Every structure is written in structure tokens, then in C-alpha cells.
Amino acid sequence: MKKKNKKKGAQSVAVIGEGAQKKFDFGMLLLLVLNTAVIFGFYRYMLSTPYFLPVLVIYMVAFAAFLLTYIIYNRGFTRNGVTVDMLPDSMTNEEKVDFIEDAVRRKRKSKWMLTLIFPFVFTFGFDALSWIIPENIISVFKG
């Protein structure tokens, strides 16, 4: 929602609710937990099968595709923190507001992609730590 204020004859636009506390999204959390359980569980199961290498490649390609899609859809996050005053004077106030609102709208619409990106990060991170940590812990106890 936007609110237009008149200040010394010039229009400035203030976005209402920027500093307001947002409601926690339990649906998104549930989706994140479910996706993490499925992606991580399937990956750990496939470790013990002869088809692990193709699954690893598919996981890497899927992770890269989701990550690039998220970044490209949000236009590289170049619109983050942009205010009306930062935009060129050649743009009308309406174009400036549309520009800023488009960035907010894109972030909101692409939030679901994070529920697919984070499970891959968790899965690959856990797998990498499972290679490193057990050896270090065993070496500490052996002296």
C-alpha cells in the first residue's frame, strides 16, 4: 500500500508497512520442513544404492537451476534498498513507484523458491560435514 504526501509542492511516496512487524508464515515453514525431509531423505537413501552418482548430478543441476532462477527473477537484487530519491529525474513519480513496487512484488512471489533452495544447501552441507567431522572426532579420541 502506498501513501502520497505533498511536501513543498513536490510529491514524495512513502510505503506504508515497511517498518511494521510481519506475521509469521507457518505454511511456508511447513513447506520448508517437508521439502527438506523429502530432499534430504531421498539423498541419504540413495547413498547406499548404485544409482547415487546420477542422483548427485541431478541434485546439483536442480540446485543450480533453482538458484539461478531465483536470482534472475529477482533481477540480481539490484533493486533492493532503492528509494524514490535514488531513481533518475527522467522517470515520473508513477514510474518510480512502479519500479520499487515491482521489486517488492518479485521478492514476495519468489519466496516459495527458497523452500526448494535451502533443502539443497542443507543436504549438501550435511553431506560435506559428514565427510569431515567424523574423522576429526575420531582423531581427537585416539590421541
Side-chain angles (χ1 to χ4, degrees):
M1 191 171 0
K2 60 188 175 193
K3 179 182 174 185
K4 292 186 180 179
N5 296 329
K6 290 198 175 188
K7 226 181 207 185
K8 297 183 184 179
Q11 284 188 335
S12 66
V13 178
V15 178
I16 297 175
E18 276 183 352
Q21 208 172 26
K22 294 181 181 177
K23 201 166 70 169
F24 189 75
D25 193 357
F26 285 103
M28 204 57 95
L29 177 65
L30 181 65
L31 187 61
L32 176 66
V33 170
L34 181 68
N35 285 344
T36 301
V38 169
I39 290 171
F40 180 74
F42 183 72
Y43 182 84
R44 295 304 286 184
Y45 170 75
M46 293 306 286
L47 279 173
S48 61
T49 67
Y51 303 108
F52 172 69
L53 191 57
V55 169
L56 178 64
V57 171
I58 290 169
Y59 266 46
M60 286 184 195
V61 169
F63 172 63
F66 285 129
L67 187 63
L68 286 173
T69 302
Y70 182 73
I71 291 170
I72 291 169
Y73 182 76
N74 285 297
R75 298 187 179 182
F77 303 104
T78 56
R79 296 179 174 195
N80 283 357
V82 175
T83 63
V84 175
D85 300 332
M86 298 168 118
L87 296 172
D89 294 334
S90 60
M91 293 175 77
T92 65
N93 267 349
E94 188 175 307
E95 289 173 333
K96 291 178 182 181
V97 170
D98 288 342
F99 184 88
I100 292 170
E101 285 179 351
D102 182 54
V104 172
R105 189 173 34 255
R106 285 176 181 273
K107 263 194 201 174
R108 189 177 54 248
K109 281 185 175 181
S110 65
K111 197 185 330 184
W112 69 269
M113 282 189 241
L114 292 175
T115 66
L116 292 171
I117 294 169
F118 284 139
F120 284 109
V121 171
F122 176 78
T123 301
F124 292 141
F126 186 87
D127 195 32
L129 287 176
S130 69
W131 294 341
I132 297 167
I133 289 180
E135 294 172 9
N136 291 339
I137 292 174
I138 291 169
S139 67
V140 167
F141 289 113
K142 285 187 178 179

